[in-house]
């Protein structure tokens, strides 16, 4: 491990020395300078801390850092600081106040908790100073009251462990005169399982990211209100707030009213439903950069000629889930001029009330043409009661995406269209998409097939995308009509230029994709092989269905590429 760390130091110092000695000819003194600089670096606390910090995010585990701390005194302090900066649970802190008879464990049983609490080692000045010496390094903590073998919060051992953790936290807090023992805590993830959990004990002025998970079905309003009121007082610089529950209940409007009192908030993620007007209040009152929440039923919102849209001027990322009327109402009364990334999941429980194209039209109306980079649309139809799939209305891909084609800077587009209804499309639809979204790097139409009553796109659309989207790297498409032997020329001049596409997947259709003739797919293989010479043929695994066309096409393509590699290797 020491050798690995020294290599990292070498790389950093080579860059530094090259910059400092630019313009000088290499000489024997350069090696001496480098050796001397490396020794100085290995003795520098700040440099070692930076190395361990970067490496812990990529390569080094907590066990690796523990070994580094035992190498020498120079390594010990920065490695220990990194180890204690992020705690996966509260238990490591109890090892600092546990009596010598109790070993260091990842979790304690009821008897061991009782011994730790009875020993009250925090009243010993030496033990307490050691505790504070380590807790001052904690900047990120994940408080999970207990983990049992049964992985159930209703298990008696979990309930006892949660109570012991609460008692111990209150004990060390009282010993610190009511002041948080984590003065540098920035990130807190709290799994709240009972009203006795001492969440407020962890709050400090340095806290910037707070995540709360309500694990049990408990009434959250009263406790959450107390927490948010305390947050405003103790942690006024909160930047990120995540609140998740296991139920789909809708919390009252007081949650939004309290959150807007935190002017430094930049990111909010909620699993509870909020109304569209409440989301407008959040995005227009505080300069949020990111928000994620399901949209619930509320007052009907429609665009009025006399009223101005609620502007979310600073919002860069939006993730919402809701029914088509709620989503349409949200965008009809809102403006998102700076939005760069959007995930929109739209569902309906009635085939007659759904109007997915109107959702995309309202969404497009709220955007600027040159800002959005990533768009993920998901449409789901859920049928309940007597409503059945026979009542569903069909839709065209052109009608769905036409309002969005003005987004000239779009780089990534994902469309998932689930349910019993199918979309329809033709080659001209894809030609229009390619001409409009020329900056595309990733295009995912992640559904398998098309409407049986409509037309089927052909592999000619690959030529259009290759011609108009030079930066395209990933392409996932539904089934394409595989047989192009009887079709006309691919382009007007007959020339097909190669494209640097790396990943391609085209789905098979069990009804229309059956292919019995090898000759009918050879021309398609030739087209794909010539068009995309750098294709990764292992991008997505196909089911073993030798009678389906695209399975055979990509199998033949893999065999052809493998043969070329063998020929080149033998030359």
């Amino acid at each position: 491990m020491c050798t690995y760390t020294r290599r990292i130091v070498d790389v950093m110092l080579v860059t530094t020395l090259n910059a400092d000695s630019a313009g000088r000819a290499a000489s024997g003194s350069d090696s001496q300078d480098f050796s001397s600089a490396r020794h100085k670096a290995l003795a520098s606390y700040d440099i070692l801390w930076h190395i361990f910090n970067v490496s812990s995010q990529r390569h080094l585990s907590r066990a690796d850092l523990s070994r580094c701390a035992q190498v020498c005194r120079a390594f010990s302090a920065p490695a220990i600081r990194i180890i204690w900066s992020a705690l996966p649970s509260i238990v490591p802190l109890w090892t600092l106040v546990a009596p010598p008879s109790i070993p260091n464990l990842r979790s304690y049983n009821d008897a061991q908790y009782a011994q730790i609490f009875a020993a009250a080692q925090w009243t010993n000045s030496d033990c307490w100073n050691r505790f504070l010496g380590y807790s001052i390094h904690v900047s990120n903590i994940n408080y999970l009251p207990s983990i049992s073998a049964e992985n159930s919060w209703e298990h008696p051992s979990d309930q006892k462990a949660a109570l012991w953790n609460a008692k111990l936290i209150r004990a060390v807090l009282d010993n610190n005169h009511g002041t948080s023992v984590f003065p540098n805590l920035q990130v807190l993830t709290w799994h709240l399982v009972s009203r006795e959990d001492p969440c407020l004990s962890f709050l400090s002025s340095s806290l910037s990211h707070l995540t709360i998970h309500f694990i049990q079905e408990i009434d959250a309003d009263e406790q959450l209100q107390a927490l948010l009121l305390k947050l405003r007082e103790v942690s006024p610089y909160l930047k990120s707030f995540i609140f998740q529950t296991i139920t789909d209940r809708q919390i009252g409007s007081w949650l939004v009213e309290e959150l807007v009192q935190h002017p430094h908030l930049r990111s909010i993620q909620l699993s509870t439903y909020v109304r569209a007007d409440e989301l407008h209040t959040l995005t227009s009152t505080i300069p949020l950069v990111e928000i994620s929440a399901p949209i619930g039923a509320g007052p009907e919102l429609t665009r009025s000629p006399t009223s101005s849209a609620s502007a979310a001027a600073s919002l860069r990322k939006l993730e919402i889930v809701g029914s088509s009327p709620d989503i349409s109402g949200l965008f009809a009364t809102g403006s998102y001029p700076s939005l760069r990334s959007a995930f929109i999941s739209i569902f309906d429980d009635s085939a007659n009330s759904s109007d997915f194209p109107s959702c995309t039209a309202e969404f497009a109306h709220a955007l600027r043409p040159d800002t959005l980079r990533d768009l993920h649309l998901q449409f789901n139809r859920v049928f309940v009661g007597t409503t059945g799939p026979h009542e569903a209305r069909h839709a065209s891909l052109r009608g769905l995406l036409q309002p969005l084609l003005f987004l000239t800077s779009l780089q990534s587009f994902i469309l998932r269209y689930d349910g019993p209804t199918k979309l329809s499309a033709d080659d001209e639809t894809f030609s229009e998409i390619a001409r409009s979204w020329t900056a595309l790097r990733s295009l995912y139409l992640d559904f398998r097939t098309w409407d049986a009553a409509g037309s089927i796109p052909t592999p000619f659309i690959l030529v259009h995308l290759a011609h108009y989207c030079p930066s395209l790297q990933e392409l996932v498409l539904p089934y394409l009509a595989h047989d192009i032997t009887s079709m006309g020329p691919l382009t007007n001049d007959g020339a097909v230029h190669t494209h640097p596409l790396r990943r391609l997947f085209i789905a098979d259709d069990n009804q229309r994709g059956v292919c019995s003739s090898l000759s009918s797919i050879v021309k398609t293989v030739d087209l794909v092989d010539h068009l995309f010479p750098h294709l990764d043929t292992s991008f997505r695994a196909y089911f073993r269905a030798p009678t389906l066309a695209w399975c055979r096409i990509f199998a033949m393509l893999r065999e052809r590429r493998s043969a070329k590699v063998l020929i080149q290797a033998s030359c």
Side-chain angles (χ1 to χ4, degrees):
M1 189 54 60
C2 181
T3 302
Y4 172 77
T5 307
R6 287 178 183 273
R7 288 178 180 175
I8 300 176
V9 175
D10 290 348
V11 173
M12 295 178 62
L13 291 177
V14 164
T15 305
T16 304
L17 289 176
N18 285 343
D20 293 341
S21 60
R24 294 187 306 166
S27 64
S29 61
D30 288 346
S31 177
Q32 297 176 0
D33 292 343
F34 176 75
S35 177
S36 175
R38 184 173 67 178
H39 286 296
K40 290 180 179 179
L42 291 174
S44 170
Y45 175 91
D46 292 334
I47 291 179
L48 286 174
W49 178 87
H50 179 74
I51 291 172
F52 291 145
N53 187 41
V54 173
S55 300
S56 66
Q57 300 172 12
R58 301 177 182 177
H59 310 291
L60 299 185
S61 65
R62 294 177 66 86
D64 293 331
L65 288 170
S66 179
R67 297 186 189 99
C68 287
Q70 301 173 40
V71 171
C72 60
R73 288 186 178 180
F75 279 27
S76 179
I80 288 175
R81 178 183 169 188
I82 298 298
I83 291 173
W84 283 89
S85 64
L87 297 184
S89 71
I90 196 71
V91 174
L93 289 168
W94 308 145
T95 65
L96 301 174
V97 293
S101 60
I102 297 180
N104 293 343
L105 301 173
R106 292 186 177 181
S107 61
Y108 294 117
N109 57 35
D110 187 53
Q112 291 167 333
Y113 271 117
Q115 292 180 50
I116 295 174
F117 187 78
Q121 292 277 55
W122 49 84
T123 58
N124 180 287
S125 60
D126 292 337
C127 181
W128 180 245
N129 289 334
R130 180 169 177 262
F131 181 90
L132 294 179
Y134 282 97
S135 66
I136 196 174
H137 297 313
V138 178
S139 62
N140 184 335
I141 189 168
N142 180 15
Y143 180 74
L144 195 63
S146 61
I147 301 176
S148 69
E150 291 77 8
N151 196 28
S152 170
W153 291 105
E154 297 180 356
H155 196 268
S157 63
D158 284 328
Q159 297 175 0
K160 291 180 179 179
L163 293 175
W164 280 119
N165 280 315
K167 288 181 180 180
L168 289 169
I169 290 173
R170 291 191 180 95
V172 297
L173 186 68
D174 292 341
N175 198 64
N176 203 40
H177 309 292
T179 305
S180 175
V181 294
F182 306 107
N184 296 314
L185 186 65
Q186 298 179 15
V187 182
L188 173 60
T189 302
W190 191 276
H191 300 262
L192 197 58
V193 298
S194 70
R195 292 183 177 276
E196 288 74 26
D197 282 348
C199 183
L200 298 178
S201 306
F202 282 72
L203 302 182
S204 65
S205 59
S206 60
L207 189 66
S208 59
H209 298 77
L210 175 61
T211 300
I212 299 178
H213 299 269
F214 271 72
I215 296 178
Q216 291 184 334
E217 295 186 21
I218 59 178
D219 186 8
D221 289 24
E222 181 180 344
Q223 193 167 8
L224 188 59
Q225 279 181 308
L227 172 62
L228 292 179
L229 287 173
K230 189 69 174 179
L231 264 177
R232 201 194 315 174
E233 175 188 347
V234 180
S235 306
Y237 300 104
L238 191 68
K239 295 181 180 179
S240 173
F241 178 75
I242 301 175
F243 178 68
Q244 297 181 344
T245 65
I246 61 174
T247 61
D248 294 332
R249 61 191 299 273
Q250 185 169 349
I251 294 183
S253 58
W254 62 264
L255 176 61
V256 173
E257 295 172 358
E258 190 59 42
L259 288 176
V260 296
Q261 303 300 319
H262 293 266
H264 297 280
L265 267 179
R266 296 298 178 266
S267 175
I268 294 177
Q269 296 182 39
L270 305 174
S271 66
T272 59
Y273 283 93
V274 297
R275 302 195 311 267
D277 59 318
E278 293 173 339
L279 189 139
H280 286 324
T281 300
L282 285 171
T283 56
S284 61
T285 305
I286 50 180
L288 286 177
V289 175
E290 174 183 354
I291 189 167
S292 173
I295 306 299
E300 184 176 353
L301 301 178
T302 56
R303 186 185 301 114
S304 172
T306 59
S307 61
S308 59
S310 176
S314 60
L315 198 67
R316 301 289 189 274
K317 184 177 181 180
L318 175 67
E319 296 182 0
I320 54 174
V321 179
S323 66
S324 58
D326 291 329
I327 297 294
S328 296
L330 174 70
F331 291 120
T333 55
S335 173
Y336 303 87
S338 302
L339 196 65
R340 296 178 63 89
S341 175
F343 171 86
I344 305 171
S345 180
I346 304 172
F347 63 86
D348 277 296
D349 56 12
S350 171
N352 294 325
S353 65
S354 60
D355 188 2
F356 293 157
S358 69
C359 291
T360 59
E362 295 291 0
F363 174 61
H365 185 270
L367 302 176
R368 288 180 52 185
D370 57 346
T371 56
L372 195 68
R373 299 292 188 272
D374 304 308
L375 176 58
H376 183 165
L377 294 178
Q378 185 167 308
F379 297 93
N380 304 282
R381 295 183 191 267
V382 181
F383 295 97
V384 297
T386 59
T387 304
H390 61 279
E391 300 172 348
R393 295 180 296 177
H394 301 286
S396 69
L397 183 66
R398 181 193 297 270
L400 196 66
L401 300 186
Q402 182 71 38
L404 302 172
L405 295 182
F406 81 110
L407 300 173
T408 56
S409 299
L410 196 65
Q411 297 178 0
S412 174
F413 179 72
I414 299 175
L415 173 63
R416 288 188 170 91
Y417 199 90
D418 302 323
T421 60
K422 298 294 189 294
L423 290 172
S424 61
D426 54 21
D427 288 1
E428 183 57 33
T429 300
F430 281 91
S431 178
E432 191 173 358
I433 291 174
R435 291 193 301 267
S436 301
W437 293 343
T438 57
L440 271 181
R441 299 182 61 86
S442 176
L443 176 62
Y444 277 61
L445 300 185
D446 216 353
F447 49 95
R448 299 199 64 83
T449 189
W450 305 95
D451 181 11
S455 58
I456 302 297
T458 71
F460 285 4
I461 70 173
L462 301 177
V463 179
H464 296 310
L465 290 167
H467 178 73
Y468 292 104
C469 306
S471 301
L472 193 63
Q473 292 294 306
E474 297 182 345
L475 182 59
V476 173
L477 296 171
Y479 172 75
L480 303 180
H482 59 276
D483 190 355
I484 60 174
T485 55
S486 60
M487 299 181 183
L490 300 177
T491 59
N492 293 332
D493 58 2
V496 178
H497 303 285
T498 60
H499 186 278
L501 186 75
R502 297 290 299 173
R503 301 176 182 89
L504 173 66
F505 177 86
I506 300 174
D508 268 313
D509 187 326
N510 294 330
Q511 302 298 323
R512 291 174 289 192
V514 177
C515 178
S516 58
S517 172
L518 180 63
S519 60
S520 64
I521 64 173
V522 170
K523 188 175 181 180
T524 305
V525 175
D526 293 338
L527 169 64
V528 176
D529 190 22
H530 174 77
L531 194 59
F532 307 121
H534 306 289
L535 203 62
D536 177 8
T537 54
S538 62
F539 171 45
R540 280 195 179 185
Y542 277 81
F543 294 106
R544 293 185 178 180
T547 60
L548 296 182
W550 287 103
C551 179
R552 297 186 65 184
I553 290 171
F554 278 90
M556 185 180 297
L557 190 61
R558 281 192 293 270
E559 293 172 359
R560 184 178 295 186
R561 296 285 173 87
S562 298
K564 288 182 180 179
V565 172
L566 292 175
I567 294 173
Q568 293 174 355
S570 63
C571 295

